[in-house]
Amino acid sequence: MIDTAFLVTALVTLFVVIDPIGLVPLFIPLTRGMTAAQRRAVGLRACLIAIGVLTLFGLAGEAVLAFVGISMPAFRIAGGVLLFLTALDMLFERRTQRREGQTTPADDPSVFPLAIPLIAGPGAIATMILLVGEARGDAAAIVTVHLVMVAVVAAAFALFLVAGPLERALGRTGTLVVTRLLGMLLAALSVQFIIDGILGIGIF
């Protein structure tokens, strides 16, 4: 049976890091001038690629870490620091500014910058490795992490389909409020990852 707390942690962390709502204002300029069908195809392709990348790191991430001699406690601490910096960017709006700098329209933006690094960025990759590590070899928990990731990316795709109306409904102020609330949650979760890493080292 899957621990409810673990499921909630996985859902909240991945949702905050991937940030489907925050991707909407970036998706619009990247697909400007496209028909609804073309936008849908770009969004679907980007989400499928992102799922593939995140699944790869979720399943093979620990093996890569072991190959280069990095322990899971060390990676939890490093990942927690990375997520905390991401939270600071969200709280002070630097993340949005940086992402907007990567949204130069292209003929097909599905691979870059939509799939990588906007959806499957460093934070999302680190989160997948951390959450699979927290599963401690429990196959059901590992599958749950990946299903949650797919659900979050699917939510991003659903929001891409209603990008225009959603952006108008939220407005600039609504987007800022949501981003800052998610940033606070991510800051708390990142600190917990750091604490878990320190405890895993066995210092205390």
Side-chain angles (χ1 to χ4, degrees):
M1 183 177 177
I2 300 300
D3 182 8
T4 304
F6 177 76
L7 176 62
V8 172
T9 298
L11 177 60
V12 172
T13 308
L14 283 167
F15 189 88
V16 172
V17 172
I18 294 175
D19 190 14
I21 297 173
L23 290 170
V24 172
L26 307 176
F27 178 75
I28 293 172
L30 283 172
T31 56
R32 186 172 289 121
M34 294 183 182
T35 65
Q38 288 173 326
R39 274 188 162 183
R40 186 166 56 249
V42 167
L44 179 60
R45 189 158 52 246
C47 289
L48 290 176
I49 293 169
I51 288 173
V53 170
L54 294 175
T55 299
L56 175 64
F57 278 95
L59 295 177
E62 279 200 71
V64 172
L65 293 180
F67 179 75
V68 296
I70 300 173
S71 68
M72 271 311 297
F75 190 81
R76 285 192 185 99
I77 295 171
V81 171
L82 174 62
L83 295 181
F84 187 77
L85 293 175
T86 300
L88 289 180
D89 284 346
M90 293 174 72
L91 288 169
F92 295 102
E93 211 184 350
R94 294 193 297 263
R95 186 189 199 197
T96 300
Q97 294 169 357
R98 186 173 62 252
R99 276 180 160 182
E100 285 174 348
Q102 298 171 326
T103 57
T104 304
D107 292 335
D108 183 3
S110 56
V111 178
F112 177 86
L114 265 179
I116 306 167
L118 294 181
I119 302 175
I125 290 171
T127 300
M128 285 299 295
I129 297 174
L130 286 170
L131 290 172
V132 170
E134 292 288 323
R136 305 185 192 285
D138 184 339
I142 293 172
V143 170
T144 298
V145 170
H146 285 82
L147 289 177
V148 168
M149 177 270 292
V150 170
V152 172
V153 176
F157 176 65
L159 292 175
F160 288 163
L161 297 180
V162 293
L166 183 64
E167 186 182 36
R168 289 192 295 271
L170 280 176
R172 176 69 174 171
T173 302
T175 303
L176 288 176
V177 170
V178 170
T179 299
R180 277 162 173 72
L181 287 174
L182 294 177
M184 285 295 295
L185 282 173
L186 183 58
L189 287 168
S190 64
V191 171
Q192 186 61 56
F193 278 131
I194 293 171
I195 292 171
D196 290 344
I198 292 173
L199 293 175
I201 292 174
I203 296 176
F204 300 106

